[in-house]
Amino acid sequence: MNDKIANKSIRVHVDTLEHLMTMVSELVLTRNQLLEIVRRHEDSEFKAPLQRLSSVTAELQEGVMKTRMQQIGVAWQKLPRLLRDLSAELAKPIEFEMRGAETELDRQVLELIRDPLTHMVRNSADHGLEMPAVRRACGKPEKGTIGLSARHEGGHIVIEVSDDGAGLSTERIKATAIARGLATEAQIEKMSEAQIQRFIFAPGFSTAQKVTNVSGRGVGMDVVRSNIDEIGGTVDVKSVSGKGTTFIIKIPLTLAIVSALIVEAAGDRFAIPQLAVVELVRVRNNSEHKIERIKDAAVLRLRNKLLPLVHLKVLLKIDGGADCQAENGFIVVTQVGSQTFGIVVDAVFHTEEIVVKPMSSKLRHIPLFAGNTILGDGSVIMIIEPNGIAHSIGNVVIERDATAAGQEADRTDDRSGIESMLVFRAGSPQPRAVLLSLVTRLEEIDVRKIESSNGRSLVQYRGQLMPLIPVNDDVRLKSTGKQPLLVFSDEGRSMALVVDEIVDIVEQKLDIELLSEQPGVLGSALIRGQATEVIDVGHFLPLAFDDWHDWRERRVAAGRHRVLLVDDSQFFRDMLAPLLNAAGFSVICAASAEEALAVLRDGKRIEIVITDIEMPGMDGFELTSAVRRDPRTAAMPIIGLSSLLSAEAVERGRRVGLHDYVAKFDRQGLIAALKEQTADMIRAA
Amino acid sequence: MSTLETMTDYVTATVGGQLFGLPIGRVQDVFVLDRLTRVPLATPEIAGVLNLRGRIVTAIDLRRRFGLPPDEVRKRMAIGIEHRGESYGLLIDTIGEVLNLPSSSREGNPVNLEPLFARMSAGVHRLEDRLMVVLDVDRVLDVGQHAEAA
């Protein structure tokens, strides 16, 4: 058996793979160019074959990427030995636990992460764990535990280095931060514990040996951070005093191809890596989202926080870097580590998969660029390095963070239930709204790019054909200029709602006042004193894709009666939670079966569980069995949600103890099932 | 002509009226500049980057490099060269013919040559009607690294 497996693999020189990768990158570029050309020609006969080429290229790209993948365990090989030696040297018994060594990532990334990881594990042993005598005194086992784990999450790999030591000393970090002039006492007073702990990553925090000894931890963490920054990753720390410290590293699976947002500043286009982009805000002088100034510093009020702004044009000193009054642009809200800031740009185009090409050695010294790339139309553009931008406005941001944290603390109490709503007009002057968290992106697309097929409108979007659905019968596609669209994406698929005008983003408590009978409308709510129709995105998804229900296994995801909603898709959680709220239930969400069990075990008063059936890992059936097994929750009503309503599935559901089984898009059905279960409860009581 | 005489082929070009020559072995191709993307924060000598058959080429403005005033030539030509595995384009005013020149007509730099110029010149060829400066490509490309960082 083993012989057979051995015969199925061959050794290939890394150079061969690298070359293959380069060629595939070129192919991706050429494909993008072709797509761009076809986009300009209506009804081109190349469309269909190109679509095919496009998908083959995507598969090829994925295949070649796989060949470059290596198990992260390769980078861990030397760690057990290192720890054994350290254990002897430091006279600390250490238990080393590795999990997820088989998690794969690009070999190039692997090479770059090896040293920082080694450093961090060493740190945990050296500074994280206490001496055995101290541990015994604290009632902990003498043997300290260091954990190293890796797992995939989205297009990223998450690596955690943890120890069960004493945790970071916030007091000492405070003192050091003040001593090193990283923050003033007043600023620190307003910071949360997590913010203070993050100082260990601040440049210059631990350069001096003396400080290192005092801080007891954080040796070279700024170096680790800059290493991880370099590969487009992030690092964070969670520490509980007396319990231990966990470092969380998130890095992209590969460096060669990234998804980036294409923006324009001063007539030039730039790419901003999507990883760093949190959201887009459109600035209008007359709206709530206007830019305000504190002396020369521009800021934006965003959800009760002040967001420091920097204009890309000013940052890059284009046209002499004169500050422009272009207060009608877009703000790309960007997050780097714990820093959030807004990059002001003149225009936002689309998102594109770009092949990162290294900068010429003559340009590599510019910290604001991560590389350059060739776009579909053949032009070369610069890729913005978010870390570089964070550094260049760093000091300002840290100060703002402190103030913002203070404000946040004041307001957290009354913020529950506040939702951000995107207000738009479509077909009539009456305002309509949708939950902002559901909207993936706001787009304005040249109407000439809109194609028509079988009576449906489509547009090329991120290499796929994206269906355009009018919000209601009264809205018409514009005939010239730009068509505003609300793009919704879930699991790689996108659809867009056609609207007339995007009006504003409003933050308020969402009380949907009456449930509407009209399809596609959740109900109406008072937004800024005006009756506003809140649309139901869930209604439109099946309209966009006939096969939305059964497309792939819908790996998916709510009072006064407390409902636990379990669904792995953020999208569905966001969609169902407001609906259930509107129907009179109080909703708690869980993103996985494991999380749901934890919520139930916590003894939170949950009356009904709604669970998605198709989930990665533990699925809805297994969750139901687990809930039934626990005597405390054995009688819990559970409703299953699924896009697969086969007789067999329903039967299996009954066997494991589901009370009801509802189709995923059947809102009325779900509400009815909930009402029935709660009515039973009242009768029982 | 003596048999010891070595002949060298030069690709010639003019920048600001001055004739230059590059050893033909260093020249990859000559192309018309199509779309140039400027690079913010780069040294002024770097005119920008462009896409040449799928490769990203860094364009060096020789006028700037030689400290000459900018010129409003629309259709700029460029000489493509490779240097340490990277592609560069040297922006010129006009491209000339390829000259086959004997080493005997080549002299060192005149001592009164402007230092900026002298650094990039590997000597001068006396042609019948004019002088041709031989470009030291490596020196010409010695730009950028010491630029002011943002």
Side-chain angles (χ1 to χ4, degrees):
Chain A
M1 199 61 193
N2 276 335
D3 285 352
K4 267 189 188 161
I5 292 168
N7 285 337
K8 279 183 182 165
S9 67
I10 53 165
R11 275 169 178 274
V12 179
H13 200 278
V14 167
D15 286 349
T16 312
L17 292 182
E18 292 293 325
H19 181 68
L20 210 51
M21 188 66 199
T22 314
M23 296 323 288
V24 168
S25 301
E26 296 298 329
L27 186 62
V28 169
L29 285 176
T30 314
R31 188 258 331 249
N32 290 353
Q33 271 163 4
L34 286 172
L35 284 174
E36 181 71 29
I37 293 168
V38 167
R39 239 174 255 175
R40 290 199 295 267
H41 298 279
E42 298 256 324
D43 299 325
S44 164
E45 57 184 309
F46 293 115
K47 217 161 262 173
L50 193 55
Q51 202 63 42
R52 175 85 189 117
L53 175 71
S54 186
S55 61
V56 170
T57 308
E59 264 178 51
L60 186 60
Q61 184 186 327
E62 202 175 302
V64 172
M65 294 275 214
K66 267 191 197 143
T67 64
R68 288 164 50 102
M69 292 292 181
Q70 269 186 315
Q71 297 193 345
I72 195 165
V74 174
W76 294 358
Q77 274 166 3
K78 292 191 178 136
L79 295 178
R81 171 74 194 269
L82 176 97
L83 279 180
R84 267 201 307 279
D85 291 352
L86 266 180
S87 169
E89 194 182 312
L90 301 166
K92 293 179 186 174
I94 300 172
E95 174 85 33
F96 187 40
E97 291 174 354
M98 292 189 281
R99 276 192 313 274
E102 69 290 345
T103 314
E104 293 189 318
L105 79 171
D106 192 286
R107 53 174 293 276
Q108 195 186 355
V109 184
L110 187 88
E111 285 307 317
L112 293 166
I113 195 71
R114 188 194 297 261
D115 289 346
L117 271 186
T118 308
H119 189 89
M120 291 169 82
V121 168
R122 179 183 263 280
N123 249 1
S124 291
D126 199 355
H127 306 284
L129 297 178
E130 316 91 323
M131 294 307 290
V134 179
R135 291 183 65 91
R136 208 180 317 125
C138 300
K140 293 198 223 177
E142 277 188 21
K143 199 171 196 180
T145 303
I146 292 176
L148 183 59
S149 75
R151 62 174 191 276
H152 282 154
E153 216 179 84
H156 297 91
I157 182 165
V158 178
I159 303 169
E160 292 188 357
V161 180
S162 61
D163 66 62
D164 66 346
L168 294 175
S169 162
T170 315
E171 289 310 313
R172 282 189 197 160
I173 295 173
K174 271 188 200 170
T176 314
I178 295 167
R180 315 250 342 143
L182 296 169
T184 66
E185 223 158 312
Q187 286 168 345
I188 283 192
E189 279 311 303
K190 291 184 192 144
M191 289 187 187
S192 66
E193 192 138 315
Q195 277 175 312
I196 293 165
Q197 288 171 353
R198 284 185 195 121
F199 270 117
I200 62 167
F201 301 116
F205 183 80
S206 58
T207 43
Q209 196 56 43
K210 220 170 128 198
V211 177
T212 302
N213 289 340
V214 175
S215 70
R217 189 66 190 264
V219 189
M221 285 315 292
D222 53 340
V223 182
V224 166
R225 178 182 166 176
S226 71
N227 273 343
I228 292 169
D229 279 357
E230 242 165 63
I231 52 176
T234 58
V235 57
D236 203 356
V237 62
K238 275 189 194 144
S239 178
V240 181
S241 181
K243 290 270 170 64
T245 309
T246 304
F247 289 93
I248 303 120
I249 304 167
K250 196 173 170 187
I251 45 178
L253 285 179
T254 179
L255 303 180
I257 297 182
V258 300
S259 173
L261 185 68
I262 313 295
V263 301
E264 187 182 282
D268 286 342
R269 285 176 294 174
F270 297 92
I272 304 178
Q274 195 74 50
L275 175 62
V277 178
V278 183
E279 63 178 311
L280 285 177
V281 179
R282 180 158 193 186
V283 187
R284 291 262 189 90
N285 239 342
N286 50 4
S287 81
E288 188 177 314
H289 288 279
K290 63 170 190 256
I291 296 178
E292 296 174 73
R293 277 169 204 283
I294 306 169
K295 202 155 173 281
D296 290 331
V299 293
L300 176 84
R301 285 185 215 206
L302 188 67
R303 288 191 272 290
N304 295 326
K305 267 193 167 194
L306 284 184
L307 187 72
L309 297 180
V310 55
H311 203 294
L312 197 52
K313 190 170 144 183
V314 177
L315 206 59
L316 298 177
K317 302 196 175 90
I318 307 175
D319 300 338
D323 201 346
C324 27
Q325 297 302 314
E327 318 267 334
N328 277 320
F330 286 86
I331 295 170
V332 181
V333 182
T334 309
Q335 188 171 15
V336 176
S338 55
Q339 299 186 6
T340 307
F341 51 90
I343 306 173
V344 186
V345 297
D346 300 333
V348 172
F349 302 105
H350 52 285
T351 315
E352 197 166 316
E353 294 278 300
I354 58 170
V355 178
V356 181
K357 302 212 168 199
M359 291 293 268
S360 149
S361 59
K362 307 293 176 206
L363 299 167
R364 219 164 277 160
H365 61 277
I366 307 174
L368 297 183
F369 299 131
N372 36 201
T373 190
I374 300 176
L375 283 186
D377 66 0
S379 53
V380 180
I381 68 166
M382 302 293 131
I383 303 166
I384 299 289
E385 168 62 79
N387 287 306
I389 293 192
H391 282 260
S392 70
I393 58 172
N395 293 333
V396 187
V397 176
I398 285 179
E399 280 168 30
R400 293 280 154 59
D401 263 5
T403 8
Q407 287 173 350
E408 198 180 19
D410 297 343
R411 296 176 197 243
T412 35
D413 289 340
D414 58 350
R415 280 193 52 79
S416 60
I418 292 196
E419 305 274 8
S420 284
M421 305 293 296
L422 177 82
V423 182
F424 60 92
R425 279 185 236 287
S428 75
Q430 194 213 352
R432 286 159 216 272
V434 61
L435 265 184
L436 185 64
S437 56
L438 293 175
V439 182
T440 311
R441 198 159 285 114
L442 304 179
E443 292 277 1
E444 285 199 315
I445 281 183
D446 192 329
V447 291
R448 283 172 299 180
K449 289 189 176 165
I450 299 175
E451 302 151 18
S452 171
S453 141
N454 289 336
R456 310 175 70 172
S457 301
L458 299 162
V459 69
Q460 283 274 2
Y461 186 75
R462 302 168 75 172
Q464 288 184 346
L465 279 173
M466 176 171 74
L468 307 186
I469 307 290
V471 174
N472 53 45
D473 296 338
D474 301 324
V475 61
R476 297 264 172 273
L477 281 169
K478 291 192 190 320
S479 51
T480 53
K482 302 259 187 195
Q483 175 64 54
L485 298 173
L486 312 181
V487 178
F488 301 89
S489 300
D490 187 44
E491 317 230 333
R493 285 195 146 192
S494 299
M495 61 147 309
L497 288 182
V498 176
V499 303
D500 292 335
E501 184 196 6
I502 290 159
V503 180
D504 209 347
I505 292 167
V506 176
E507 281 212 348
Q508 68 167 56
K509 252 196 168 72
L510 181 63
D511 288 318
I512 297 185
E513 282 158 9
L514 55 136
L515 277 168
S516 167
E517 294 295 304
Q518 202 184 326
V521 177
L522 270 184
S524 69
L526 272 186
I527 293 178
R528 287 241 190 90
Q530 249 189 315
T532 306
E533 212 171 71
V534 180
I535 66 156
D536 174 9
V537 178
H539 169 75
F540 296 100
L541 298 182
L543 292 184
F545 298 101
D546 307 330
D547 58 343
W548 189 289
H549 298 279
D550 50 35
W551 171 70
R552 224 186 261 173
E553 289 235 318
R554 299 286 326 137
R555 304 180 295 120
V556 190
R560 282 37 84 176
H561 283 289
R562 290 166 71 97
V563 172
L564 176 65
L565 174 64
V566 193
D567 197 309
D568 63 305
S569 156
Q570 167 95 40
F571 187 79
F572 278 94
R573 291 197 304 271
D574 282 354
M575 196 166 69
L576 287 178
L579 175 91
L580 295 175
N581 264 322
F585 297 91
S586 150
V587 186
I588 293 171
C589 291
S592 67
E594 290 82 1
E595 200 180 316
L597 287 174
V599 171
L600 291 170
R601 265 198 304 271
D602 265 5
K604 289 226 172 67
R605 201 173 57 87
I606 301 286
E607 287 154 298
I608 307 178
V609 176
I610 301 175
T611 178
D612 180 25
I613 297 300
E614 296 93 26
M615 291 189 289
M618 194 186 218
D619 68 15
F621 292 133
E622 287 162 347
L623 171 65
T624 308
S625 307
V627 173
R628 292 279 170 265
R629 273 198 303 274
D630 189 324
R632 284 167 298 175
T633 55
M636 177 76 66
I638 305 176
I639 301 174
L641 283 182
S642 174
S643 44
L644 299 169
L645 266 191
S646 64
E648 193 186 324
V650 173
E651 178 49 38
R652 181 167 174 208
R654 206 192 323 275
R655 268 205 315 275
V656 296
L658 278 177
H659 280 71
D660 213 332
Y661 208 133
V662 183
K664 199 135 205 182
F665 288 89
D666 184 2
R667 310 318 179 63
Q668 310 300 346
L670 177 59
I671 304 276
L674 276 172
K675 294 243 155 88
E676 195 179 308
Q677 294 303 333
T678 48
D680 283 353
M681 269 179 229
I682 293 160
R683 253 179 270 136
Chain B
M1 204 187 282
S2 123
T3 47
L4 290 172
E5 186 105 288
T6 43
M7 305 294 285
T8 313
D9 280 325
Y10 290 98
V11 173
T12 63
T14 60
V15 178
Q18 174 63 53
L19 186 69
F20 293 93
L22 283 97
I24 201 162
R26 293 299 304 266
V27 177
Q28 297 262 318
D29 47 11
V30 175
F31 55 92
V32 178
L33 217 56
D34 187 14
R35 242 183 320 193
L36 191 64
T37 305
R38 56 184 172 167
V39 183
L41 307 173
T43 35
E45 290 93 337
I46 294 177
V49 289
L50 61 121
N51 168 15
L52 187 66
R53 294 185 292 274
R55 294 199 70 164
I56 295 180
V57 176
T58 310
I60 312 248
D61 187 342
L62 285 189
R63 277 184 165 266
R64 281 273 195 177
R65 190 74 184 98
F66 299 148
L68 298 169
D71 182 45
E72 287 309 305
V73 185
R74 277 293 106 213
K75 280 257 170 200
R76 298 289 298 269
M77 301 283 295
I79 297 176
I81 52 174
E82 231 183 76
H83 179 68
R84 298 188 187 146
E86 294 182 320
S87 301
Y88 294 91
L90 304 179
L91 304 197
I92 53 170
D93 295 347
T94 57
I95 186 83
E97 52 195 329
V98 175
L99 298 178
N100 185 258
L101 302 174
S103 55
S104 62
S105 74
R106 178 167 165 173
E107 286 186 23
N109 291 331
V111 289
N112 59 346
L113 201 61
E114 200 189 311
L116 175 76
F117 231 87
R119 224 181 25 244
M120 290 177 276
S121 165
V124 180
H125 266 290
R126 294 168 320 240
L127 307 185
E128 270 175 34
D129 52 343
R130 61 206 293 199
L131 298 173
M132 186 195 85
V133 174
V134 179
L135 279 188
D136 181 331
V137 176
D138 298 336
R139 291 273 179 82
V140 170
L141 292 180
D142 186 20
V143 292
Q145 291 92 332
H146 35 74
E148 165 208 15

